[in-house]
Amino acid sequence: MSTSWSELQLHADTDSRYDGVVYVSNRQEYIAGSGALLFDGRAILTAAHVVRHAPSGDIEVRFETAAGVVWRKATQVIIDPSYDATNSLHDAALIILDQPAPAAADRYHLYRSNDELGKTFTMVGYGDIGTGTTGAMSQSTPYRHDAQNTFDTTATQLKNALESAMAWTPHGDMTLVADFDDGSVAHDALGRLMGLYNTGLGAAEGLIAPGDSGGPAFINGQIAGVASYVTSLAKAGITPDVTPYRTDASFGEIAAWTRVSNEQQFIDQALRQSWTDAPHAPAQVKTVITEGNAGQITTAWFLVNYSGTVTADQPVEVKYTTLDGTATAGQDYIATQGTLVFYPGEQAVPIPVEIIGDDIPESNETFYLKIYDPVGGTFPDGATELIGMRTIQDNDAAL
């Protein structure tokens, strides 16, 4: 990742909000990328091009948290079936882990609104480092770092402006685009190429580099984009790049992120298919969950049922959040809040909540999941919210 400042000033420490951003190792192709832990604690969202040719056994991810460094292996890699490598569309994939992520790692939800343009975002990854003036240079020991930028346009709109000066054809506004500004008009790529003048965020501005592929772009703490590629573009004698004729994440270059709001159905349904232990009918739901030992994470499941028919043009969704009872978030379970979306053909959708094991004898404890703000449907009997309870059963004998 190239930045306007020294790269060391943008190092994301292990106690930051970004310790759910991981280093992805593809041993099959000797390449590396980045990714982000999703809200279920079992899956990493990354770019399809990082993992597409490797068997799942050759993929590993590294977590760096305040509790230390932990590696997890992949048991499955799920590529978006619509992935188009030629035009860099639907560049998204899930890495399913062999066991839950460490409890200390942040979990992330999806940014589901399609209002990303004009918003400032934070990109995080393990890529090469450098400055906008010099471009990115390889690093022998990858570490996590972050920078900011603004989503200015989509790759489709960029193609419409450049026509044949852009060799690929990204359609459908599926890819978000930002340029790397140094405060000058001369190196404002999207300003000079498209008339979208914006000279940047000053010292906070940065751009992805090799190794950042698959890394998240966050808006309001949610994943809005997946890092896909960097390019240097010119037309009719207009060359904004400070290092013409090479792509190195320097000032005047352009980067693209797969638009997560467009990918949410693939991500949601791929996750749900990977949850082999999830209930699919009310009779399968367990309301009492054994805690587990220290270092272990188990899952409590809630099941949301919809009695109507979901159609593609009528969204059905609810918001949800966990609430403490006698159990405490961060100690006994991992808090979560997000939006559950029903897709055509779905009538019962599970929500996972992770339980943190320990070796401390204690009483059984409870926590709750509240669902609220229904869209496309209503709760029974005019209710404005529904609440379910789970009991964490202690399995530690007192000495």
Side-chain angles (χ1 to χ4, degrees):
M1 188 174 294
S2 290
T3 63
S4 297
W5 285 2
S6 164
E7 66 276 359
L8 295 179
Q9 292 175 290
L10 294 174
H11 185 191
D13 294 329
T14 54
D15 61 351
S16 76
R17 297 166 294 168
Y18 306 125
D19 55 13
V21 178
V22 300
Y23 173 80
V24 178
S25 173
N26 177 345
R27 296 179 298 169
Q28 171 77 12
E29 299 179 283
Y30 301 101
I31 63 173
S34 303
L37 179 64
L38 292 176
F39 57 88
D40 70 335
R42 304 183 186 189
I44 303 297
L45 177 61
T46 189
H49 76 263
V50 172
V51 296
R52 61 175 172 154
H53 293 308
S56 59
D58 288 323
I59 302 295
E60 294 182 317
V61 303
R62 186 178 77 216
F63 291 90
E64 297 181 24
T65 74
V69 175
V70 175
W71 286 86
R72 290 285 188 266
K73 295 182 179 180
T75 59
Q76 186 182 8
V77 173
I78 307 172
I79 307 292
D80 187 324
S82 300
Y83 174 51
D84 177 353
T86 301
N87 296 301
S88 297
L89 294 170
H90 300 286
D91 189 7
L94 296 184
I95 301 170
I96 309 302
L97 303 178
D98 62 344
Q99 56 182 302
D106 287 325
R107 279 78 169 147
Y108 304 111
H109 286 266
L110 307 182
Y111 189 85
R112 298 180 182 274
S113 300
N114 62 355
D115 60 353
E116 308 94 339
L117 297 188
K119 293 187 181 296
T120 298
F121 64 92
T122 300
M123 65 194 91
V124 187
Y126 281 83
D128 295 343
I129 56 177
T131 67
T133 302
T134 64
M137 298 168 285
S138 62
Q139 54 178 334
S140 57
T141 303
Y143 63 79
R144 190 172 64 232
H145 39 269
D146 68 282
Q148 293 185 320
N149 209 309
T150 302
F151 286 132
D152 296 300
T153 188
T154 67
T156 303
Q157 294 168 16
L158 181 59
K159 174 67 175 180
N160 291 341
L162 296 184
E163 298 179 333
S164 62
M166 186 170 168
W168 60 103
T169 307
H171 58 79
D173 288 323
M174 300 175 187
T175 308
L176 299 166
V177 167
D179 61 2
F180 193 7
D181 295 301
D182 64 358
S184 72
V185 173
H187 301 134
D188 180 4
L190 295 174
R192 297 188 65 196
L193 296 173
M194 295 182 64
L196 297 176
Y197 288 98
N198 182 337
T199 54
L201 302 173
E205 181 129 329
L207 202 70
I208 56 174
D212 289 317
S213 289
F218 292 109
I219 296 177
N220 299 332
Q222 299 175 322
I223 306 173
V226 177
S228 186
Y229 61 87
V230 178
T231 186
S232 178
L233 295 171
K235 73 169 186 178
I238 299 173
T239 308
D241 193 347
V242 300
T243 58
Y245 313 114
R246 76 173 191 259
T247 300
D248 56 7
S250 57
F251 289 131
E253 293 188 4
I254 293 168
W257 287 258
T258 297
R259 193 173 196 166
V260 166
S261 63
N262 184 73
E263 294 291 318
Q264 60 182 303
Q265 181 169 355
F266 157 68
I267 296 168
D268 285 337
Q269 294 191 312
L271 278 178
R272 293 166 191 174
Q273 291 170 11
S274 75
W275 295 337
T276 57
D277 56 338
H280 299 286
Q284 299 172 343
V285 176
K286 297 178 180 179
T287 58
V288 179
I289 300 90
T290 301
E291 177 185 59
N293 298 323
Q296 292 182 326
I297 292 179
T298 54
T299 303
W301 294 99
F302 295 81
L303 191 67
V304 182
N305 291 278
Y306 177 64
S307 60
T309 300
V310 182
T311 61
D313 59 350
Q314 176 59 58
V316 176
E317 60 185 53
V318 293
K319 291 184 173 63
Y320 62 88
T321 186
T322 48
L323 302 169
D324 283 357
T326 54
T328 302
Q331 298 178 19
D332 303 304
Y333 72 96
I334 298 175
T336 187
Q337 62 178 21
T339 300
L340 180 147
V341 179
F342 286 85
Y343 299 102
E346 295 181 332
Q347 290 191 303
V349 178
I351 298 174
V353 179
E354 296 174 276
I355 307 301
I356 303 171
D358 62 40
D359 294 329
I360 303 171
E362 55 192 342
S363 300
N364 294 345
E365 297 171 309
T366 59
F367 71 95
Y368 303 91
L369 184 83
K370 178 176 75 173
I371 64 173
Y372 59 101
D373 284 356
V375 174
T378 58
F379 293 144
D381 303 320
T384 58
E385 62 184 38
L386 300 176
I387 297 179
M389 185 182 79
R390 295 293 178 264
T391 299
I392 304 173
Q393 185 176 55
D394 184 66
N395 66 334
D396 304 307
L399 297 178

